[in-house]
Amino acid sequence: YYNFTIKWMKEIFRIVKPNGNILIFGTYHNIYKIGYILSKFDKRIINSIIWYKRNAFPNITLRMFCESTEQIIWSVNNSNKNAKNWIFNYDNMKKLTSNKKQMRNMWDIPMTSVKEKKYGKHPSQKPIELIDRIIKGCTEKNQSIIDPFSGSGTVSLVCAMNKRNYLGIEKNKKYYEISLKRLKSL
């Protein structure tokens, strides 16, 4: 996993412009390795975001706490010393909060609804609301976004909805076809 992650991250660092945002999802299984790798490449980590899934699946083993969060590391494609001028749409994020105050880094967003899976299911499909918040917060209209693990295409779908360019990469034909169906439904 470690060597595979280094390999795909190097490609992302090569493609993403300097000071471009890089957001990576993970759970306790891998998020600390991802953070370590980012620090080994001297990439500036801006924030962590905790996605709280209030309707998370129960733990069937009964041997540990029910995992109800996913973490997102937000980093910038530059060194700690040189990172500057990354995009953060503070005012857009403030408008999305119920009290119109500064958005926190703990987001209470339910897991992907059945409605969003009507064209097929992916085991780690993200809800549109979650990806929409990230795209509105960390990109500008007409910018390009790459998703190296596109799955069922939620990032591509939300990019199309928000006038962003996108490139999704998915090796599994089944998920690629789900992604196409979702995009054609717009």
PDB file of all heavy atoms in Angstrom, residues 17-28:
ATOM      1  N   LYS A  17      -1.093  21.800 -10.470  1.00  0.00           N
ATOM      2  CA  LYS A  17      -0.261  23.001 -10.540  1.00  0.00           C
ATOM      3  C   LYS A  17       0.299  23.356  -9.152  1.00  0.00           C
ATOM      4  O   LYS A  17      -0.275  22.968  -8.125  1.00  0.00           O
ATOM      5  CB  LYS A  17      -1.058  24.171 -11.121  1.00  0.00           C
ATOM      6  CG  LYS A  17      -2.155  24.677 -10.214  1.00  0.00           C
ATOM      7  CD  LYS A  17      -2.901  25.836 -10.858  1.00  0.00           C
ATOM      8  CE  LYS A  17      -3.954  26.348  -9.894  1.00  0.00           C
ATOM      9  NZ  LYS A  17      -4.666  27.487 -10.389  1.00  0.00           N
ATOM     10  N   PRO A  18       1.391  24.107  -9.106  1.00  0.00           N
ATOM     11  CA  PRO A  18       1.928  24.540  -7.804  1.00  0.00           C
ATOM     12  C   PRO A  18       0.864  25.316  -7.021  1.00  0.00           C
ATOM     13  O   PRO A  18       0.142  26.142  -7.583  1.00  0.00           O
ATOM     14  CB  PRO A  18       3.107  25.434  -8.175  1.00  0.00           C
ATOM     15  CG  PRO A  18       3.514  24.953  -9.532  1.00  0.00           C
ATOM     16  CD  PRO A  18       2.240  24.537 -10.215  1.00  0.00           C
ATOM     17  N   ASN A  19       0.755  25.024  -5.761  1.00  0.00           N
ATOM     18  CA  ASN A  19      -0.234  25.610  -4.845  1.00  0.00           C
ATOM     19  C   ASN A  19      -1.662  25.166  -5.134  1.00  0.00           C
ATOM     20  O   ASN A  19      -2.605  25.706  -4.561  1.00  0.00           O
ATOM     21  CB  ASN A  19      -0.136  27.140  -4.795  1.00  0.00           C
ATOM     22  CG  ASN A  19       1.199  27.573  -4.219  1.00  0.00           C
ATOM     23  OD1 ASN A  19       1.557  27.184  -3.120  1.00  0.00           O
ATOM     24  ND2 ASN A  19       1.944  28.352  -4.986  1.00  0.00           N
ATOM     25  N   GLY A  20      -1.823  24.180  -6.011  1.00  0.00           N
ATOM     26  CA  GLY A  20      -3.137  23.589  -6.240  1.00  0.00           C
ATOM     27  C   GLY A  20      -3.531  22.716  -5.060  1.00  0.00           C
ATOM     28  O   GLY A  20      -2.680  22.105  -4.404  1.00  0.00           O
ATOM     29  N   ASN A  21      -4.809  22.663  -4.778  1.00  0.00           N
ATOM     30  CA  ASN A  21      -5.307  21.874  -3.657  1.00  0.00           C
ATOM     31  C   ASN A  21      -5.324  20.386  -3.972  1.00  0.00           C
ATOM     32  O   ASN A  21      -5.655  19.988  -5.087  1.00  0.00           O
ATOM     33  CB  ASN A  21      -6.721  22.319  -3.283  1.00  0.00           C
ATOM     34  CG  ASN A  21      -6.734  23.668  -2.604  1.00  0.00           C
ATOM     35  OD1 ASN A  21      -5.861  23.987  -1.811  1.00  0.00           O
ATOM     36  ND2 ASN A  21      -7.733  24.481  -2.920  1.00  0.00           N
ATOM     37  N   ILE A  22      -4.986  19.596  -2.978  1.00  0.00           N
ATOM     38  CA  ILE A  22      -5.056  18.140  -3.053  1.00  0.00           C
ATOM     39  C   ILE A  22      -5.821  17.683  -1.820  1.00  0.00           C
ATOM     40  O   ILE A  22      -5.406  17.957  -0.693  1.00  0.00           O
ATOM     41  CB  ILE A  22      -3.652  17.500  -3.082  1.00  0.00           C
ATOM     42  CG1 ILE A  22      -2.859  17.997  -4.302  1.00  0.00           C
ATOM     43  CG2 ILE A  22      -3.748  15.985  -3.048  1.00  0.00           C
ATOM     44  CD1 ILE A  22      -1.399  17.578  -4.306  1.00  0.00           C
ATOM     45  N   LEU A  23      -6.949  17.004  -2.034  1.00  0.00           N
ATOM     46  CA  LEU A  23      -7.752  16.498  -0.920  1.00  0.00           C
ATOM     47  C   LEU A  23      -7.827  14.984  -1.037  1.00  0.00           C
ATOM     48  O   LEU A  23      -8.162  14.454  -2.098  1.00  0.00           O
ATOM     49  CB  LEU A  23      -9.151  17.120  -0.922  1.00  0.00           C
ATOM     50  CG  LEU A  23      -9.101  18.603  -0.529  1.00  0.00           C
ATOM     51  CD1 LEU A  23      -9.191  19.503  -1.713  1.00  0.00           C
ATOM     52  CD2 LEU A  23     -10.138  18.911   0.506  1.00  0.00           C
ATOM     53  N   ILE A  24      -7.495  14.300   0.056  1.00  0.00           N
ATOM     54  CA  ILE A  24      -7.416  12.843   0.047  1.00  0.00           C
ATOM     55  C   ILE A  24      -8.265  12.287   1.187  1.00  0.00           C
ATOM     56  O   ILE A  24      -8.069  12.663   2.345  1.00  0.00           O
ATOM     57  CB  ILE A  24      -5.954  12.360   0.193  1.00  0.00           C
ATOM     58  CG1 ILE A  24      -5.069  12.995  -0.892  1.00  0.00           C
ATOM     59  CG2 ILE A  24      -5.887  10.842   0.125  1.00  0.00           C
ATOM     60  CD1 ILE A  24      -3.584  12.766  -0.693  1.00  0.00           C
ATOM     61  N   PHE A  25      -9.166  11.374   0.840  1.00  0.00           N
ATOM     62  CA  PHE A  25     -10.018  10.708   1.816  1.00  0.00           C
ATOM     63  C   PHE A  25      -9.311   9.490   2.391  1.00  0.00           C
ATOM     64  O   PHE A  25      -8.551   8.827   1.697  1.00  0.00           O
ATOM     65  CB  PHE A  25     -11.305  10.203   1.147  1.00  0.00           C
ATOM     66  CG  PHE A  25     -12.314  11.263   0.865  1.00  0.00           C
ATOM     67  CD1 PHE A  25     -12.188  12.092  -0.233  1.00  0.00           C
ATOM     68  CD2 PHE A  25     -13.410  11.421   1.695  1.00  0.00           C
ATOM     69  CE1 PHE A  25     -13.134  13.067  -0.506  1.00  0.00           C
ATOM     70  CE2 PHE A  25     -14.361  12.394   1.437  1.00  0.00           C
ATOM     71  CZ  PHE A  25     -14.229  13.210   0.333  1.00  0.00           C
ATOM     72  N   GLY A  26      -9.632   9.184   3.636  1.00  0.00           N
ATOM     73  CA  GLY A  26      -9.124   7.961   4.239  1.00  0.00           C
ATOM     74  C   GLY A  26      -9.811   7.675   5.558  1.00  0.00           C
ATOM     75  O   GLY A  26     -10.544   8.501   6.099  1.00  0.00           O
ATOM     76  N   THR A  27      -9.557   6.489   6.060  1.00  0.00           N
ATOM     77  CA  THR A  27     -10.040   6.097   7.385  1.00  0.00           C
ATOM     78  C   THR A  27      -8.811   5.796   8.242  1.00  0.00           C
ATOM     79  O   THR A  27      -7.677   5.946   7.783  1.00  0.00           O
ATOM     80  CB  THR A  27     -10.941   4.847   7.316  1.00  0.00           C
ATOM     81  OG1 THR A  27     -10.156   3.744   6.842  1.00  0.00           O
ATOM     82  CG2 THR A  27     -12.135   5.072   6.393  1.00  0.00           C
ATOM     83  N   TYR A  28      -9.059   5.339   9.441  1.00  0.00           N
ATOM     84  CA  TYR A  28      -7.925   5.041  10.322  1.00  0.00           C
ATOM     85  C   TYR A  28      -6.996   3.997   9.706  1.00  0.00           C
ATOM     86  O   TYR A  28      -5.838   3.892  10.087  1.00  0.00           O
ATOM     87  CB  TYR A  28      -8.411   4.603  11.709  1.00  0.00           C
ATOM     88  CG  TYR A  28      -9.022   3.217  11.733  1.00  0.00           C
ATOM     89  CD1 TYR A  28      -8.253   2.099  12.037  1.00  0.00           C
ATOM     90  CD2 TYR A  28     -10.368   3.027  11.462  1.00  0.00           C
ATOM     91  CE1 TYR A  28      -8.801   0.834  12.053  1.00  0.00           C
ATOM     92  CE2 TYR A  28     -10.933   1.778  11.480  1.00  0.00           C
ATOM     93  CZ  TYR A  28     -10.147   0.673  11.772  1.00  0.00           C
ATOM     94  OH  TYR A  28     -10.692  -0.573  11.789  1.00  0.00           O
TER      95      TYR A  28
END
